Amino acid sequence: MTNNAKILYVCQQVVPYLPENDIATLCRYLPQAMQEKGAEIRIFMPRWGCINERRNQLHEVIRLSGMNLIIDDTDHQLIIKVASIPSARVQVYFIDNEDFFQRKATWVDADGNYFDDNEERAIFFARGVLETVKKLRWAPNIVHCHDWFTAIVPVYLKKVFHNDPIFRDLKIVVSLYNDPFPGSLNPEMAAKLLQEGIKKEDLALIDTPDYTNLMKFAITHADAVVMGSPDIQPDLAQWVETAGKPVLPYPGAENYDNAYAEFYDKLLQ
């Protein structure tokens, strides 16, 4: 691993805060593996309302909290919490807000229905991560985004934060998984991002913000792609092929750390 590499992991789920699955497990162990190889890492995820704060020992970081983010002309307070993963020297930062993350669920309700405001929650999360990293004055070399809830981080980095010294010199990696959601997010998503200073022509892909279009949107604004599952949707795999960007094929569920380390190293050369 390149000496002093700084890697920001933007995740929608991490074990032990959400149940084990391929994505949550990778987002738990990959950062630790890179840290053990000499990288400096930060992990961010939403503070979903189903996370037990007492059991997981989350606490608010007052010096990072309190900023207001405006989404669709409405103010939403940004609250930052942090916890340490037991048995690892790894901290996780949580993006919290009363309007978006207090309900006792993730992106689906108890009946499995996707929330109507998931597009605003994703926008708030992306903005919240980047504003907090700025406050930390920690300049990452690599920003690694995992799955659809993180899909607008790349466009923020390329179109809104690109002149900020903290984010000026980095590579954006997007991991694709075979974990689509049904239907589409709110079609007003593109209009809400337009208010953020992103141009209309940059948003054509998410006129219909379904899973496939969101991931194509993320790939378009990324510098490299990881196949996070052995079977990626054929149209997404085709999109990756034509994008002409560095690709890490699915490295397997075990002993993947060297493959990721080599991939990161090549990007930073």
Side-chain angles (χ1 to χ4, degrees):
M1 189 82 226
T2 302
N3 281 346
N4 305 321
K6 295 180 177 179
I7 309 172
L8 171 62
Y9 289 96
V10 189
C11 305
Q12 65 190 36
Q13 47 193 322
V14 180
V15 169
Y17 308 108
L18 287 186
E20 282 195 31
N21 62 32
D22 290 349
I23 305 174
T25 302
L26 184 77
C27 285
R28 155 66 180 87
Y29 290 103
L30 175 61
Q32 182 182 351
M34 294 306 104
Q35 182 172 270
E36 288 169 357
K37 288 180 181 292
E40 202 177 309
I41 62 105
R42 299 283 187 278
I43 308 170
F44 279 79
M45 71 175 285
R47 207 294 290 179
W48 304 113
C50 53
I51 295 171
N52 186 311
E53 291 202 7
R54 185 174 296 173
R55 187 186 310 135
N56 291 294
Q57 299 185 333
L58 273 67
H59 60 270
E60 185 175 349
V61 186
I62 303 296
R63 69 185 176 87
L64 298 175
S65 295
M67 185 187 301
N68 274 17
L69 304 182
I70 300 169
I71 297 169
D72 200 27
D73 296 328
T74 304
D75 271 10
H76 302 278
Q77 189 179 34
L78 175 61
I79 298 164
I80 307 300
K81 293 175 179 169
V82 72
S84 294
I85 294 178
S87 76
R89 293 183 303 107
V90 174
Q91 278 193 327
V92 178
Y93 290 86
F94 295 85
I95 299 294
D96 200 1
N97 169 266
E98 209 166 276
D99 306 318
F100 294 135
F101 297 117
Q102 290 297 310
R103 61 199 81 162
K104 299 292 181 190
T106 54
W107 45 90
V108 292
D109 65 19
D111 299 319
N113 300 311
Y114 282 70
F115 290 113
D116 292 340
D117 63 348
N118 273 341
E119 90 292 348
E120 288 197 356
R121 300 167 89 208
I123 291 170
F124 181 87
F125 176 61
R127 273 277 305 282
V129 169
L130 299 180
E131 295 289 1
T132 305
V133 171
K134 274 177 65 175
K135 271 197 168 182
L136 287 168
R137 295 180 181 174
W138 184 76
N141 308 115
I142 289 172
V143 177
H144 193 162
C145 302
H146 292 265
D147 214 28
W148 69 270
F149 201 78
T150 74
I152 57 171
V153 171
V155 76
Y156 268 124
L157 286 167
K158 286 287 169 81
K159 302 294 179 181
V160 179
F161 290 84
H162 58 290
N163 285 327
D164 192 296
I166 293 285
F167 300 115
R168 197 174 287 153
D169 187 24
L170 54 74
K171 298 293 183 184
I172 305 166
V173 180
V174 167
S175 275
L176 303 180
Y177 298 92
N178 194 4
D179 189 34
F181 58 81
S184 170
L185 302 185
N186 187 326
E188 294 296 309
M189 184 173 197
K192 290 168 184 176
L193 285 169
L194 197 59
Q195 296 173 1
E196 300 285 285
I198 299 165
K199 292 178 180 166
K200 194 167 189 204
E201 57 263 32
D202 297 321
L203 298 166
L205 266 172
I206 53 168
D207 280 343
T208 303
D210 59 20
Y211 178 82
T212 302
N213 287 344
L214 262 181
M215 296 319 299
K216 286 179 178 178
F217 183 63
I219 294 162
T220 299
H221 294 99
D223 298 301
V225 181
V226 173
M227 299 304 200
S229 299
D231 302 307
I232 301 295
Q233 291 172 301
D235 49 350
L236 273 181
Q238 179 66 36
W239 187 268
V240 171
E241 209 170 292
T242 56
K245 299 184 179 186
V247 177
L248 176 63
Y250 179 60
E254 294 179 8
N255 304 319
Y256 50 74
D257 52 336
N258 289 333
Y260 277 97
E262 286 170 21
F263 190 61
Y264 292 149
D265 278 344
K266 282 180 187 169
L267 290 178
L268 294 176
Q269 283 171 4

